[in-house]
């Protein structure tokens, strides 16, 4: 393998350029602190303004220290004075309030009985008849019926579907949840159950 060696003039030129660059950087960093730029130059007015603010801060610090010293001297006379005054006021208020206490008698109000829908005694053996009796007075939702029957939601839904398909109840689909009201056929069944309760 042959390696081509550059001419000595080229090698010297590269080395000389490198040395000149290093020398330039060295001189720049040595001269830089002595050269002032516009940002570093201060006007006389700026230095006067800084001195003015410094004097103001020193005066404020002296005043603050003086106030703190005065406050400490005043408090050193009786540090518990405020606490004593507060306790005296509190005891005076208690003494004044004791004679004015009156025995308050609780007023007894008679509660009005809660109106319960008038449901005839139907044997709770047949839930169909019981539901029909429930909805004779007013329309009810399946949730209301579920709570009254104390059965599951699925059981109540199946029962109401069976009654709807049988024509015993009418489903109002305009409101959500659906409300169920009794039909003429359902009323006839309720009357039949009331006249002969033994027939289920």
């Amino acid at each position: 393998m042959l390696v081509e060696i550059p001419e000595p003039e080229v090698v010297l030129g590269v080395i000389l350029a490198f040395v000149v660059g290093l020398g330039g950087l060295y001189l720049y960093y040595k001269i830089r602190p002595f050269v002032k730029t516009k940002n570093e130059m201060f006007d006389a007015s700026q230095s006067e303004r800084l001195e003015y603010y410094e004097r103001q801060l020193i005066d404020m610090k002296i005043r603050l220290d003086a106030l703190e010293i005065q406050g400490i001297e005043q408090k050193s006379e009786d540090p518990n004075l405020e606490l004593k005054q507060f306790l005296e006021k509190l005891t005076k208020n208690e003494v004044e309030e004791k004679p004015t206490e009156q025995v308050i008698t609780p007023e007894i109000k008679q509660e009005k009985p809660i109106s319960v829908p008038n449901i005839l005694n139907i044997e709770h053996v047949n839930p169909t008849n019981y539901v029909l009796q429930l909805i004779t007075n007013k329309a009810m939702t399946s949730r209301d019926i579920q709570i009254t029957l104390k059965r599951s939601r699925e059981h109540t839904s199946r029962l109401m579907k069976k009654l709807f398909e049988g024509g015993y109840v009418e489903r109002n689909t305009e409101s959500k949840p659906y409300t169920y009201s009794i039909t003429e056929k359902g009323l006839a069944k309720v009357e039949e159950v009331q006249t002969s309760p033994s027939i289920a």
Side-chain angles (χ1 to χ4, degrees):
M1 271 191 353
L2 293 173
V3 177
E4 191 175 318
I5 299 174
E7 295 180 15
E9 297 167 355
V10 174
V11 173
L12 280 175
V14 170
I15 292 173
L16 185 63
F18 182 72
V19 170
V20 169
L22 283 177
L25 281 174
Y26 178 76
L27 286 175
Y28 174 74
Y29 283 111
K30 287 291 183 179
I31 297 173
R32 184 176 173 199
F34 301 112
V35 176
K36 293 184 179 179
T37 60
K38 289 182 180 179
N39 293 337
E40 295 173 353
M41 291 183 191
F42 286 107
D43 292 343
S45 62
Q46 288 180 347
S47 62
E48 288 175 9
R49 192 177 303 157
L50 286 174
E51 288 175 9
Y52 171 76
Y53 287 133
E54 187 177 3
R55 284 193 303 266
Q56 292 293 328
L57 287 172
I58 291 170
D59 288 343
M60 292 171 110
K61 176 69 174 157
I62 292 170
R63 289 178 188 166
L64 183 64
D65 290 341
L67 288 173
E68 286 178 356
I69 290 171
Q70 287 176 355
I72 291 171
E73 289 175 0
Q74 289 175 355
K75 287 184 180 178
S76 63
E77 294 171 1
D78 191 4
N80 295 327
L81 181 64
E82 293 177 9
L83 181 61
K84 288 178 183 177
Q85 290 174 351
F86 177 73
L87 290 174
E88 287 174 6
K89 287 180 183 178
L90 189 63
T91 54
K92 287 179 183 177
N93 287 341
E94 286 179 1
V95 171
E96 291 174 4
E97 289 179 4
K98 283 183 181 177
T100 60
E101 288 184 20
Q102 296 177 353
V103 178
I104 300 171
T105 57
E107 296 179 13
I108 300 172
K109 295 181 181 178
Q110 293 182 350
E111 295 182 6
K112 296 179 181 177
I114 300 170
S115 62
V116 179
N118 188 10
I119 299 175
L120 298 174
N121 289 334
I122 298 176
E123 292 182 24
H124 197 59
V125 177
N126 189 352
T128 305
N129 296 336
Y130 187 69
V131 168
L132 289 175
Q133 181 65 36
L134 277 176
I135 60 176
T136 52
N137 296 333
K138 66 173 187 170
M140 295 178 78
T141 64
S142 60
R143 177 75 178 146
D144 297 335
I145 297 167
Q146 172 192 344
I147 292 169
T148 308
L149 282 178
K150 298 179 183 172
R151 300 284 174 100
S152 68
R153 181 178 59 87
E154 292 81 10
H155 179 83
T156 308
S157 297
R158 283 193 301 270
L159 177 65
M160 295 313 294
K161 182 180 179 185
K162 183 178 90 172
L163 289 173
F164 175 69
E165 289 173 350
Y168 295 110
V169 296
E170 187 177 82
R171 184 184 293 161
N172 181 7
T173 57
E174 293 177 4
S175 65
K176 291 228 174 174
Y178 298 150
T179 56
Y180 294 93
S181 56
I182 197 161
T183 61
E184 294 297 325
K185 187 176 179 182
L187 282 172
K189 179 153 182 151
V190 169
E191 289 174 6
E192 178 185 322
V193 170
Q194 287 176 355
T195 55
S196 58
S198 60
I199 300 172

